[in-house]
Amino acid sequence: MTTIHQTLYRERLTSAERAVAMIPSGAKVAMPLAAGQPPAILAAFAERARAGAVKNVRLHYLLCTGVAGTSVFDFEPRDVIIPMSYFHGGVERALDNRRSAEALPAVDLVPCHFSQVPRSMVEHVGVDTLIATVSPMDADGNFSLGASTDYALTVSRKPGIRLILEVNRNMPYVRGDCMIPVSSVTALVENNVGLPILPAAPRNEVDDVIGAIIAGLVEDGDCLQMGIGALPDAVCSGLSRHRHLGIHTEMMTPGLARLVKAGVVDNSRKQTHVGQSIFTFALGDQALYDFLDNNPDVEAYPVDYVNNPFVIAQNNRVVSVNATLQVDLNGACNSEFMNGRQFSASGGQVDFVRGAYASRGGRSIIACHSTAAKGTLSRIVPALTGPVTTSRNDTHIVVTEYGWANLKGKSVAERARALIGLAHPDFREDLDRAAHGAGLYADTALGARTLNAER
């Protein structure tokens, strides 16, 4: 580390209170998702809001954690720091419940594919401030965004951006295109605390059945993208006997990290970043963060690169695995809206659905349990009750515990029959009637097949 880097570091080092005082009323602030959200800066900013020293600040982000939920998004400063969510989670759903009780509007959502968030924030929103957690400065005077490169790197490079960083020795130092030079920083705050931990989602027998089906669709040498939750974790558990797998994923998960450590993933058959596991953000347990830290075989890149369908498709045989909430009889998926409210968002699902299918030999897989609400509702439905996340034209393979169906090349009538075959038996007759009533097919024979609809 050179003297000039150390001098710049000392000049920019300050307290969280002084750092947030640099953010004026009316600011448009961005923060990374999940582990990149800076606790000390957020706590100080919440106190500044409660004191009436700032107002009308819009905070743009994806996937809020409890760190923000208990500070800037505490219910009291709701009219001062305004959440502008690109992806809802538990924090937003809890806020919506509290707001509903007081007849207030729900947390606002900015609909956007994950790959397009950097452009949305920089070009369309015009954010002027970035707050983020980073790893300690390296010998070249750079801070690694570590577990949360996502849109933060692109925002950090906007000319004139106000850049306030929280340096945390617990943020893993990750290589790749994820560095911020000390020379571009407005203020630095030091705060060494543990990163957010995402407990493993509890898996049940249905998750394991679906995981086994999907694992059976993965071949040695395939390149993986996995989403979040119990189903992708079950898929990873089913891949222990595979070999020479690759990783090009928006989210690095504990399950994927375990596959690397077990030698299942070696990235030897990729066409880009050979030998490297590529991701844009990571969230999980401490073992995952330890795995990422200073690991020469893992690299992070901004989401407008990682999730770009053209970039994804440069690798052959990409297998994308994502979950959904509903699939209609045409094959369209609602993966973000439930019970009349925004539940999550589109995230990177469509990015990888399109990128995986565009790759040579690639497969995009959408998975869900056949039922919801303790078996009282079918996830295969005549019509979606929320927005279309993945269109019927994009959906490739759909999986439930009753099998899988390849929708590509199928007519509307053939899709309806195949999807009814993936529904729980208790709902197949009603779905068949709905398909007939909607004119999806004209014959009178039951459209459902019990297992493994045509591949």
Side-chain angles (χ1 to χ4, degrees):
M1 187 180 301
T2 65
T3 301
I4 188 168
H5 296 147
Q6 294 170 332
T7 300
L8 289 172
Y9 188 102
R10 288 193 297 269
E11 288 175 351
R12 286 154 174 75
L13 185 62
T14 187
S15 67
E17 292 73 20
R18 289 180 178 176
V20 299
M22 301 176 185
I23 304 174
S25 294
K28 298 175 181 178
V29 181
M31 68 177 177
L33 57 78
Q37 294 168 7
I41 292 171
L42 289 170
F45 200 36
E47 285 303 311
R48 184 168 170 79
R50 292 189 187 100
V54 68
K55 60 183 179 180
N56 193 31
V57 172
R58 292 174 177 254
L59 186 52
H60 299 260
Y61 65 95
L62 274 78
L63 196 58
C64 179
T65 65
V67 166
T70 56
S71 56
V72 289
F73 294 157
D74 182 76
F75 207 49
E76 293 308 315
R78 63 179 180 269
D79 57 346
V80 177
I81 300 176
I82 304 164
M84 302 297 294
S85 170
Y86 285 75
F87 192 99
H88 278 26
V91 170
E92 290 74 23
R93 293 192 287 272
L95 280 174
D96 282 348
N97 288 337
R98 295 168 70 183
R99 290 176 175 216
S100 177
E102 295 194 16
L104 294 169
V107 174
D108 214 351
L109 177 85
V110 184
C112 192
H113 297 307
F114 197 5
S115 63
Q116 297 173 1
V117 170
R119 183 179 178 187
S120 173
M121 288 188 177
V122 171
E123 181 178 331
H124 303 301
V125 172
V127 295
D128 51 45
T129 305
L130 175 70
I131 57 174
T133 297
V134 293
S135 72
M137 188 170 68
D138 65 18
D140 297 318
N142 293 318
F143 303 96
S144 172
L145 283 161
S148 293
T149 298
D150 48 64
Y151 43 88
L153 185 76
T154 305
V155 171
S156 77
R157 292 173 175 170
K158 180 187 175 185
I161 195 77
R162 185 182 299 108
L163 191 50
I164 301 174
L165 303 183
E166 185 167 316
V167 182
N168 185 346
R169 67 186 176 208
N170 293 302
M171 174 63 83
Y173 181 85
V174 180
R175 293 171 168 81
D177 187 12
C178 58
M179 302 294 179
I180 296 177
V182 67
S183 58
S184 68
V185 176
T186 306
L188 293 169
V189 175
E190 293 181 339
N191 185 37
N192 297 313
V193 295
L195 298 183
I197 299 296
L198 179 68
R203 280 166 41 193
N204 58 31
E205 183 178 352
V206 174
D207 295 319
D208 290 336
V209 169
I210 295 173
I213 292 171
I214 295 173
L217 298 173
V218 176
E219 301 173 359
D220 288 351
D222 285 347
C223 183
L224 303 177
Q225 178 265 328
M226 294 285 172
I228 189 170
L231 281 178
D233 188 57
V235 175
C236 289
S237 295
L239 294 173
S240 60
R241 296 187 178 181
H242 283 65
R243 291 293 178 267
H244 305 301
L245 297 179
I247 292 175
H248 183 107
T249 185
E250 67 179 35
M251 179 179 181
M252 181 63 72
T253 67
L256 289 173
R258 287 192 292 270
L259 291 178
V260 176
K261 289 187 282 188
V264 174
V265 168
D266 62 14
N267 295 294
S268 63
R269 298 187 183 178
K270 293 169 64 179
Q271 283 64 53
T272 65
H273 302 284
V274 179
Q276 303 289 325
S277 293
I278 302 302
F279 75 102
T280 196
F281 81 97
L283 182 61
D285 54 18
Q286 187 59 47
L288 172 63
Y289 302 136
D290 292 342
F291 163 78
L292 295 175
D293 189 39
N294 212 23
N295 187 335
D297 299 326
V298 181
E299 292 183 345
Y301 289 82
V303 70
D304 44 2
Y305 175 82
V306 174
N307 281 42
N308 184 329
F310 175 78
V311 173
I312 295 166
Q314 291 178 38
N315 282 307
N316 296 337
R317 295 165 54 189
V318 175
V319 176
S320 166
V321 180
N322 290 285
T324 194
L325 298 173
Q326 292 179 317
V327 184
D328 74 14
L329 293 178
N330 284 275
C333 301
N334 162 26
S335 306
E336 57 184 290
F337 200 84
M338 187 168 65
N339 296 328
R341 290 184 185 178
Q342 194 71 35
F343 181 80
S344 56
S346 59
Q349 183 171 118
V350 176
D351 296 331
F352 273 92
V353 164
R354 292 176 176 169
Y357 186 70
S359 76
R360 182 176 297 178
R363 284 140 285 153
S364 160
I365 298 171
I366 300 288
C368 63
H369 290 204
S370 66
T371 64
K374 299 181 179 179
T376 62
L377 297 175
S378 177
R379 291 193 186 273
I380 308 296
V381 295
L384 302 181
T385 59
V388 174
T389 306
T390 297
S391 75
R392 65 179 185 174
N393 293 355
D394 288 313
T395 305
H396 185 185
I397 295 170
V398 177
V399 179
T400 75
E401 69 270 30
Y402 291 97
W404 62 277
N406 181 353
L407 301 189
K408 292 295 187 182
K410 284 184 169 56
S411 69
V412 169
E414 291 167 336
R415 284 167 174 244
R417 291 189 178 97
L419 288 165
I420 291 171
L422 301 181
H424 191 284
D426 290 350
F427 296 96
R428 291 178 185 171
E429 188 172 345
D430 287 343
L431 289 168
D432 193 68
R433 288 195 193 95
H436 277 287
L440 297 184
Y441 50 80
D443 59 51
T444 57
L446 184 69
R449 278 177 277 180
T450 57
L451 185 64
N452 287 339
E454 172 148 359
R455 304 171 186 180

